[in-house]
Amino acid sequence: MGNQVVGRISADLGIFSFESRELLKDALNRDGCIRNKELIIYSKDKRPVYVVASVDYLELSGQNYLLSVLMDITSIKESQLELSRTRSQLQAILDNLPFMAWFKDPQGKYMEVNRIVELNAGLPLKDIIGKTDLDIWPQDLALSIMESDIQVM
C-alpha cells in the first residue's frame, strides 16, 4: 500500500471529491494548518471512509510537503448513523401509539415522549426532554404519575 501512495497527490489517488479537496486547500492556505477536521475520503474500491484529519505544511531541505495525519473513525460514524436510525424508528413507533407514551431515566427524567404527551403537556419536545413530572404536570398529577412509575420499575 505504501508504494502506491508515497509521492502521489490526493487528486491522483481519488481519495477526496474535487469539492472537498478544494475546501481543504482553501482552509490550509487561509489558516496554515487543519486541525481535527472530520472528512469523508474514499478507499481504493471507492468505499467511503470517515476520518479525522490534521494537516500541516512541512519544509525539508528546501522542499515543501504536507504532513497529513488521518484517524479512521468509520466504525464510530457507522455506529452513530445506526443509533440515529434506531432513534428515528423508535420515535415513529411512539408517535403512532394512540395514547401517551414515554421513556424515562432512573431519576425520572423524560428521555423520549410521543406527540400525545407533547399535546397534553402543551409543551414542545425540547421543553419536556430532561425534565421530571414535577417540572411538567400539576403537582397532584405529577405525584400520581411518579407513584405509577415506582410500581412499574
Side-chain angles (χ1 to χ4, degrees):
M1 176 75 173
N3 293 342
Q4 296 173 355
V5 298
V6 172
R8 297 181 65 196
I9 64 172
S10 61
D12 293 341
L13 297 170
I15 60 175
F16 294 107
S17 69
F18 176 78
E19 296 81 14
S20 293
R21 190 169 186 278
E22 291 303 307
L23 288 171
L24 286 172
K25 281 175 36 181
D26 290 345
L28 195 54
N29 288 331
R30 181 185 63 243
D31 302 330
C33 66
I34 296 171
R35 291 285 179 264
N36 301 319
K37 174 89 172 145
E38 284 192 23
L39 303 169
I40 299 174
I41 62 173
Y42 296 92
S43 66
K44 191 174 173 180
D45 61 358
K46 303 298 180 204
R47 284 181 300 109
V49 178
Y50 297 87
V51 298
V52 173
S54 292
V55 183
D56 279 291
Y57 281 114
L58 183 65
E59 185 182 327
L60 292 172
S61 303
Q63 290 278 62
N64 292 322
Y65 298 92
L66 288 179
L67 174 62
S68 303
V69 177
L70 305 177
M71 183 171 64
D72 186 346
I73 59 168
T74 302
S75 62
I76 294 168
K77 289 303 257 187
E78 288 172 346
S79 295
Q80 289 173 336
L81 291 169
E82 181 59 29
L83 179 59
S84 178
R85 278 192 292 272
T86 301
R87 289 186 73 119
S88 294
Q89 291 168 342
L90 175 61
Q91 193 63 53
I93 291 168
L94 282 174
D95 286 341
N96 283 290
L97 294 173
F99 47 82
M100 293 197 331
W102 58 83
F103 289 101
K104 293 180 184 174
D105 68 13
Q107 289 75 43
K109 294 180 182 174
Y110 286 95
M111 296 170 50
E112 297 287 343
V113 301
N114 67 357
R115 297 216 187 277
I116 296 176
V117 172
E118 287 181 74
L119 292 171
N120 281 292
L123 296 169
L125 181 65
K126 68 177 182 60
D127 291 341
I128 297 172
I129 301 302
K131 303 283 177 35
T132 67
D133 293 312
L134 290 169
D135 299 321
I136 295 168
W137 308 107
Q139 185 173 2
D140 58 334
L141 177 58
L143 293 173
S144 174
I145 294 170
M146 292 165 63
E147 187 176 314
S148 293
D149 287 350
I150 290 169
Q151 292 173 4
V152 170
M153 294 170 102

